[in-house]
Amino acid sequence: MDIGNIFEEWDFSGTVPLPYRVLLMGCIGVFAWASNLHILAHLRVDVSNLLFSSPPLSGPYNSSRHRDRFNASKSSPLSALYRSIYTLGAAFLAMTLINMWMYKWVVAGSDNNNASGTVDARGGMGQKSNPRAGIFVPILGYITILIMIFAPINALFKKERFRFLRSMRHVMFSGFKSEVSFADVILADILTSFARVFGDLAVALCLMFLDRDGTNTDACYGSILVPIMTSIPYFIRLRQCLSEYIESNYTTDRHLMNALKYASAFPVIIISSLQKSAKAASLKGQPSSGYFSDSSLFKLWLLFVAINSFYSFYWDIYHDWSLIQVQPVSRNSPLINGVPTSASTGPSHSRLTSAPMSPSANKSGSLNVNDSLGATSLNSPSLGNGSVHNSPINSSKKPTSSSQHHVQARRFGMRSFLHYEDPVFYYMAVILDFLLRTTWMLKLVSNIQIEEYEGGVFTMECLEVLRRWIWVLFRMESEMVKRSGYADSGPLSAGLVSSGGGVGGDTDIQDSNNVILMEDLESWQQK
């Protein structure tokens, strides 16, 4: 039995009706975000500094102080944050499953009444004149979920719910000249992975409110509404990219190239809608009213989806994750714990949204070398588990075998500094991202038309959420590495390489101009 037959024989719509599929995808998204925060905290990624706009913990950066503060975070506000998100996800999931069970119970009773010819005491929904038995049950479920989200009562983690609503409002309704934070970018990118769910939501609302008898196949002008709803997340990111371009005084072309990536999704959405309309017309025996034949539409779709997928994959690994090393590591380059000290000549892959957390130079512009010890240590916050060890080094000595191992592991195209210990994780992420970006290739196999079945659509939506879940882990890592002062083949901060070429470092920062500001999540939670 091939994959297509599996989905064909799986009555997914009977198991999980469309309105509940949308709710389940929302619950999956909540759990995915909570697990992202949980894993990032375990991997010592400073999420609070990257995402949350709160009154900062100011003062000269001291690696041991901040590292101790971060290590003692098992009962910290960050831990409380992802635990609260887990709890909210569990509450939404429980409500969804209970409501879906009620729907099944009403529909089952309706079928029994039709067989016996009696009227059921549950509301008479089992009569043949009402084929959409139980339609009010999912409506009740949606209203309950909305109350759980918007209720202004001090229950169900009101602060977290209202911060999410404020973030959504800012992301969806900001103007072109509004400031775009890193948290806004992460949220909007996550929304793009739920673009299909937006389209499903439009259809589900139409079924519940405007097409209750199921006879009008286009009661809500689905051929127009669904593409519009699907395009909303991409339009949000497109607007953010243009806002960043405006913020850069129209000088950073990279934001325009990023905007082009999201704009490339619109032809795919439009052509997919035309294909569905043409297929629906052919099933009714009606001639297609479009200007393109089915084969021409498929070829156009294939062209644009390939452009969008490969361009997005390139952007993931080169810009979002900054994994591509612009220059190969030179064997003659001096190393600091396996990190080449030559400044990167490649482009900055990401807009730094806060002051970089890089080790700092002294006032003279050169780095201090402790001659009595012949070594100094190079530390950066929350990077203790990274591939670059915080061990003392001697600028006059050759790099250790451990350092050579880490550089050799990244000579084949990967950047020099990796926060996560094993480079295999990065290679696996790249492979998975490519595979999950190109699931559309299954359409090229004639006997695996997965997306023609509701179960197949749900599976593809879950795979996209999985891809985004992986993307968040490495996008956060990349941003933290950049703010720590490293990218491509060397440190970003000039403080790591003096104007005279001296190499060294000191964790006791004296220059007030190099003050590092770290976010205090406790004050963020108390808002």
Side-chain angles (χ1 to χ4, degrees):
M1 180 181 296
D2 59 34
I3 297 178
N5 290 334
I6 292 175
F7 285 104
E8 185 175 5
E9 295 179 4
W10 180 19
D11 184 17
F12 186 80
S13 294
T15 306
V16 184
L18 179 61
Y20 296 106
R21 190 176 85 196
V22 174
L23 294 179
L24 285 178
M25 287 303 303
C27 294
I28 291 173
V30 172
F31 282 117
W33 176 242
S35 61
N36 273 139
L37 296 179
H38 193 172
I39 293 173
L40 288 168
H42 178 73
L43 296 174
R44 297 168 57 82
V45 175
D46 195 357
V47 177
S48 61
N49 183 45
L50 296 175
L51 292 181
F52 303 122
S53 299
S54 62
L57 176 64
S58 60
Y61 171 72
N62 182 285
S63 62
S64 60
R65 175 167 66 94
H66 288 294
R67 187 165 54 250
D68 293 340
R69 172 176 172 269
F70 192 87
N71 287 336
S73 63
K74 290 186 177 181
S75 59
S76 68
L78 181 59
S79 174
L81 176 62
Y82 62 70
R83 290 176 188 273
S84 66
I85 298 176
Y86 277 131
T87 305
L88 283 171
F92 295 145
L93 179 61
M95 179 55 62
T96 301
L97 294 178
I98 290 172
N99 192 263
M100 187 166 62
W101 175 83
M102 291 173 60
Y103 177 79
K104 297 284 186 179
W105 183 70
V106 171
V107 171
S110 198
D111 294 339
N112 293 334
N113 290 333
N114 285 335
S116 61
T118 61
V119 177
D120 188 83
R122 298 164 190 151
M125 293 184 179
Q127 300 180 26
K128 292 183 179 180
S129 60
N130 188 9
R132 305 284 289 184
I135 193 63
F136 289 102
V137 178
I139 294 177
L140 177 62
Y142 272 69
I143 293 174
T144 304
I145 294 292
L146 288 176
I147 291 175
M148 294 172 66
I149 295 174
F150 288 93
I153 59 176
N154 193 19
L156 273 179
F157 305 101
K158 176 184 174 182
K159 292 181 180 179
E160 284 73 12
R161 289 187 288 111
F162 275 59
R163 286 192 185 97
F164 169 74
L165 293 175
R166 287 195 296 269
S167 299
M168 286 291 294
R169 181 183 62 186
H170 184 264
V171 164
M172 298 188 70
F173 301 109
S174 295
F176 281 92
K177 293 187 177 181
S178 60
E179 182 181 357
V180 180
S181 68
F182 180 66
D184 293 336
V185 171
I186 292 294
L187 176 57
D189 271 320
I190 290 175
L191 290 179
T192 61
S193 292
F194 286 84
R196 290 188 182 185
V197 182
F198 275 67
D200 289 343
L201 177 61
V203 177
L205 293 176
C206 179
L207 291 175
M208 290 188 292
F209 292 99
L210 298 178
D211 187 26
R212 296 178 184 175
D213 58 0
T215 58
N216 189 350
T217 57
D218 201 15
C220 302
Y221 300 96
S223 58
I224 299 176
L225 180 61
V226 172
I228 291 176
M229 291 291 290
T230 306
S231 301
I232 287 176
Y234 296 102
F235 179 79
I236 291 173
R237 278 298 287 129
L238 175 64
R239 193 270 305 163
Q240 287 182 342
C241 294
L242 295 178
S243 296
E244 290 181 302
Y245 180 66
I246 295 173
E247 186 181 355
S248 69
N249 292 323
Y250 308 94
T251 58
T252 308
D253 293 337
R254 182 175 57 83
H255 297 311
L256 290 180
M257 300 303 294
N258 197 14
L260 180 63
K261 180 190 72 172
Y262 293 102
S264 68
F266 297 137
V268 179
I269 295 172
I270 294 172
I271 295 174
S272 296
S273 178
L274 293 176
Q275 285 181 307
K276 291 180 180 179
S277 299
K279 184 176 181 180
S282 63
L283 291 176
K284 295 178 182 179
Q286 301 174 355
S288 177
S289 58
Y291 294 99
F292 300 96
S293 63
D294 292 345
S295 60
S296 298
L297 284 176
F298 180 77
K299 292 176 182 178
L300 285 173
W301 173 85
L302 189 62
L303 171 65
F304 284 108
V305 76
I307 292 173
N308 175 259
S309 298
F310 293 132
Y311 190 15
S312 299
F313 171 72
Y314 151 77
W315 200 275
D316 285 345
I317 62 174
Y318 187 76
H319 289 278
D320 290 344
W321 296 352
S322 303
L323 290 182
I324 302 300
Q325 184 171 293
V326 176
Q327 283 189 337
V329 178
S330 173
R331 293 186 178 181
N332 298 325
S333 298
L335 302 174
I336 293 183
N337 293 330
V339 180
T341 57
S342 59
S344 172
T345 59
S348 175
H349 297 326
S350 176
R351 168 178 170 267
L352 298 180
T353 52
S354 71
M357 299 189 296
S358 58
S360 177
N362 58 22
K363 293 182 179 180
S364 64
S366 61
L367 294 170
N368 298 326
V369 177
N370 190 333
D371 294 331
S372 62
L373 295 177
T376 184
S377 60
L378 176 64
N379 295 320
S380 59
S382 305
L383 297 178
N385 287 343
S387 297
V388 176
H389 304 296
N390 295 322
S391 58
I393 58 116
N394 190 336
S395 60
S396 64
K397 294 182 180 181
K398 294 182 180 180
T400 63
S401 59
S402 174
S403 298
Q404 291 173 346
H405 169 73
H406 288 298
V407 173
Q408 291 289 343
R410 301 181 205 121
R411 288 179 63 90
F412 300 99
M414 190 169 289
R415 60 175 150 89
S416 299
F417 188 93
L418 303 178
H419 174 66
Y420 303 146
E421 287 186 355
D422 195 341
V424 173
F425 293 145
Y426 295 84
Y427 291 114
M428 291 177 60
V430 170
I431 294 172
L432 287 174
D433 188 71
F434 176 80
L435 293 177
L436 295 174
R437 280 280 189 191
T438 56
T439 52
W440 52 268
M441 289 185 179
L442 292 173
K443 282 191 175 183
L444 304 181
V445 183
S446 59
N447 62 336
I448 309 181
Q449 299 297 328
I450 293 179
E451 296 191 12
E452 293 184 1
Y453 311 103
E454 294 296 320
V457 173
F458 180 74
T459 301
M460 301 301 286
E461 290 174 348
C462 290
L463 289 177
E464 172 58 22
V465 172
L466 173 63
R467 188 197 66 80
R468 183 61 63 183
W469 182 83
I470 297 172
W471 180 90
V472 168
L473 295 177
F474 289 89
R475 181 67 182 91
M476 294 283 199
E477 182 267 358
S478 171
E479 185 73 10
M480 191 187 71
V481 167
K482 289 167 192 162
R483 295 191 190 188
S484 300
Y486 299 93
D488 296 342
S489 60
L492 287 176
S493 173
L496 288 176
V497 182
S498 67
S499 58
V503 179
D506 194 339
T507 59
D508 296 327
I509 297 177
Q510 302 297 332
D511 190 354
S512 60
N513 293 327
N514 294 306
V515 169
I516 303 301
L517 302 181
M518 294 189 67
E519 303 290 346
D520 186 359
L521 189 56
E522 292 183 4
S523 61
W524 176 83
Q525 277 205 327
Q526 292 171 0
K527 283 185 178 181

